[in-house]
Amino acid sequence: MDLPKNITQIGETNPNCKVYAEDYVISYMKQLNGHAMDKALAVALYGIRREEAGITYLFLYGAARLSFLQRETRHLSQAALQEIEKLRKKYFSQYEFLGYRMLDGEMVEGFHICEQSVCRYIAGYAQFYEKNDSMLNFMLAERKEDAKPEEVDQEKYETVKRRQEERRSQSREYGSQRERPLRRTEASLPAQRGMRRMKMAAAAVFGLLCIVGLGSMDGGQRLNELQTAAKNMIAQWNTRQLPDAVEVNAPAQAGTIVAEDKLTEAIKKENEGAGVLPEQNPSGEPSVTDPAASPETPSEGWPDPGTQGTEPGGENDSQTVPEAGVKPGASSEGETASGTAQETPPEAAQTPAPEPVSYTIQKGDTLIGICIRTYGSDDRVAEICSLNNISNPDDIKIGQKILLP
């Protein structure tokens, strides 16, 4: 076997494996090494393998950058092997894959040589000069691809543009549909504000009348007159049938109606405690405003002025009003009306975990390859190592039995 004569030795030679790298291959790796300062780059190596007198001779004639190899490893992943084979068929079909080299900005002093699916580092090599058309053509093609502008598929561009126009038109139609009810609402705002002002004015007048009447009472007759006037005013305002939209759209005035109801209820309770009867009962008795019925003269069914607000038995006539949010019959500790606690839903039945499956290591197997064949990716290599107490994923033997989760 004739060995290259014009060589430059880099590092010490290995007695069992001698590596010869062509000058274009070293130049290409030096060029990439300048871009590998922040992120490591991987390069696949192609060439010829020879055996003589128990010594392996490797002649490197090709090198190509890899995307699926990010770190040094003894066993290449399935994705990296596919990329390596694709580059070999495209640029270096006359050679075979020999190994790889990780570039990190440091000087190249050795290579990872792959043999029987296992890659091991070989230090030292000899650089030689020889005609190498395949590597030269690859470097020229790669330079053209880097300088080539990005091409855009015109058909896809038109499809995307048409979809954007359809979305814009739909958006405009939806916006016009929403503007119509909004304009109607804005037109009705002045009427709603006028109703709010009228309601507030009525509430103020009613409260003022009640305060003046209570402060200037001079007997039962004056109280009866104020009660009748208040009832007439409330009846007049209730017949107007204010729209519900006024309360919904004006949250700041929502408390006005509540205040009127509470004030009316308070006056009613006070009158009941004072013994004031309605204007006309079903039995035809005269009302409190009838001049014939004097409030100063007690009659049948009227309470004694000395015992106003009490029944003959001496008990208070007013009833205790339950607090807001508490139903009748519910205790003060916050029990519900039904008195029953909510039941806790039963826990969902847990699905049992699948049992591990036994597998026997075959020739050429790697944990990454087994994981990809079984699960479609190499994400569970660490789980397989933990299940089988394997500290080094590269240290497996033919015939060894492992468990797959």
Side-chain angles (χ1 to χ4, degrees):
M1 180 174 55
D2 295 333
L3 297 177
K5 303 298 181 182
N6 189 10
I7 64 173
T8 301
Q9 183 66 36
I10 307 296
E12 298 181 358
T13 60
N14 190 295
N16 299 319
C17 182
K18 298 183 182 295
V19 180
Y20 293 84
E22 203 275 326
D23 180 63
Y24 279 144
V25 175
I26 301 300
S27 299
Y28 176 74
M29 286 192 292
K30 287 181 178 180
Q31 181 182 356
L32 288 181
N33 207 13
H35 302 283
M37 304 299 294
D38 300 329
K39 181 180 179 181
L41 301 177
V43 176
L45 303 173
Y46 304 93
I48 301 173
R49 185 191 305 267
R50 294 285 186 267
E51 298 286 343
E52 185 174 327
I55 300 176
T56 303
Y57 294 88
L58 303 175
F59 301 92
L60 306 180
Y61 288 98
R65 179 179 175 180
L66 296 176
S67 302
F68 290 95
L69 186 59
Q70 306 295 334
R71 57 184 178 83
E72 295 183 0
T73 179
R74 289 174 59 87
H75 302 280
L76 298 175
S77 64
Q78 191 69 20
L81 292 174
Q82 291 177 358
E83 184 183 15
I84 290 170
E85 182 63 18
K86 180 180 179 181
L87 292 172
R88 189 193 70 81
K89 290 181 178 179
K90 185 175 182 180
Y91 299 106
F92 310 104
S93 58
Q94 70 274 27
Y95 301 119
E96 61 176 313
F97 172 66
L98 299 180
Y100 70 91
R101 167 68 190 184
M102 296 299 301
L103 303 176
D104 52 3
E106 300 293 336
M107 181 178 177
V108 179
E109 296 182 350
F111 307 97
H112 285 83
I113 304 303
C114 299
E115 186 176 4
Q116 296 181 357
S117 301
V118 178
C119 300
R120 57 193 180 92
Y121 183 76
I122 302 297
Y125 66 93
Q127 181 178 354
F128 69 97
Y129 303 88
E130 189 176 313
K131 186 178 180 180
N132 189 359
D133 295 334
S134 59
M135 188 62 196
L136 180 60
N137 294 333
F138 167 74
M139 295 173 67
L140 293 175
E142 188 179 48
R143 185 176 301 177
K144 290 180 181 179
E145 289 178 359
D146 293 340
K148 186 178 180 181
E150 182 180 1
E151 296 181 357
V152 180
D153 190 350
Q154 188 64 23
E155 184 178 356
K156 293 182 179 179
Y157 175 77
E158 295 295 337
T159 303
V160 173
K161 186 177 179 180
R162 184 171 57 256
R163 290 178 181 174
Q164 291 178 350
E165 292 295 335
E166 292 176 356
R167 293 193 188 100
R168 291 195 187 109
S169 61
Q170 292 176 359
S171 178
R172 286 194 292 268
E173 292 177 0
Y174 180 72
S176 61
Q177 292 176 0
R178 293 191 61 185
E179 285 181 358
R180 295 170 186 171
L182 181 61
R183 292 175 181 174
R184 288 197 297 268
T185 305
E186 292 176 353
S188 61
L189 283 179
Q192 295 177 1
R193 292 172 182 169
M195 296 297 294
R196 275 193 234 119
R197 295 193 188 99
M198 293 175 61
K199 190 171 182 180
M200 292 175 61
V205 172
F206 179 74
L208 181 62
L209 289 175
C210 291
I211 294 173
V212 173
L214 292 175
S216 61
M217 280 192 305
D218 56 350
Q221 182 67 27
R222 183 62 176 169
L223 181 62
N224 293 336
E225 292 177 358
L226 291 174
Q227 176 67 16
T228 303
K231 288 183 178 180
N232 292 335
M233 183 178 293
I234 294 174
Q236 291 177 2
W237 283 105
N238 289 337
T239 55
R240 295 194 178 186
Q241 298 180 356
L242 297 178
D244 298 336
V246 176
E247 298 180 12
V248 175
N249 295 331
Q253 306 296 336
T256 306
I257 298 178
V258 178
E260 292 178 7
D261 295 341
K262 290 185 178 180
L263 184 59
T264 305
E265 185 178 356
I267 295 176
K268 182 178 179 182
K269 289 183 179 181
E270 184 178 355
N271 293 338
E272 291 177 353
V276 179
L277 295 179
E279 297 181 4
Q280 183 71 30
N281 55 27
S283 59
E285 295 181 359
S287 63
V288 294
T289 58
D290 191 356
S294 175
E296 299 177 358
T297 305
S299 60
E300 184 178 359
W302 286 66
D304 195 338
T307 60
Q308 291 185 2
T310 58
E311 294 182 355
E315 297 181 356
N316 195 344
D317 185 44
S318 61
Q319 297 180 357
T320 303
V321 180
E323 297 179 359
V326 180
K327 297 182 180 180
S331 63
S332 61
E333 287 80 10
E335 295 179 359
T336 59
S338 59
T340 58
Q342 298 181 355
E343 297 180 1
T344 303
E347 297 182 357
Q350 299 181 356
T351 305
E355 296 183 357
V357 180
S358 177
Y359 178 77
T360 303
I361 301 298
Q362 305 294 330
K363 183 178 179 180
D365 278 345
T366 63
L367 288 184
I368 297 177
I370 294 172
C371 188
I372 292 176
R373 289 197 307 269
T374 306
Y375 306 107
S377 67
D378 56 354
D379 296 339
R380 305 187 68 175
V381 173
E383 186 177 353
I384 296 175
C385 293
S386 176
L387 182 61
N388 295 275
N389 297 323
I390 298 175
S391 59
N392 185 1
D394 298 332
D395 189 11
I396 58 175
K397 300 178 181 179
I398 300 175
Q400 178 181 353
K401 292 185 178 181
I402 62 172
L403 297 177
L404 300 178

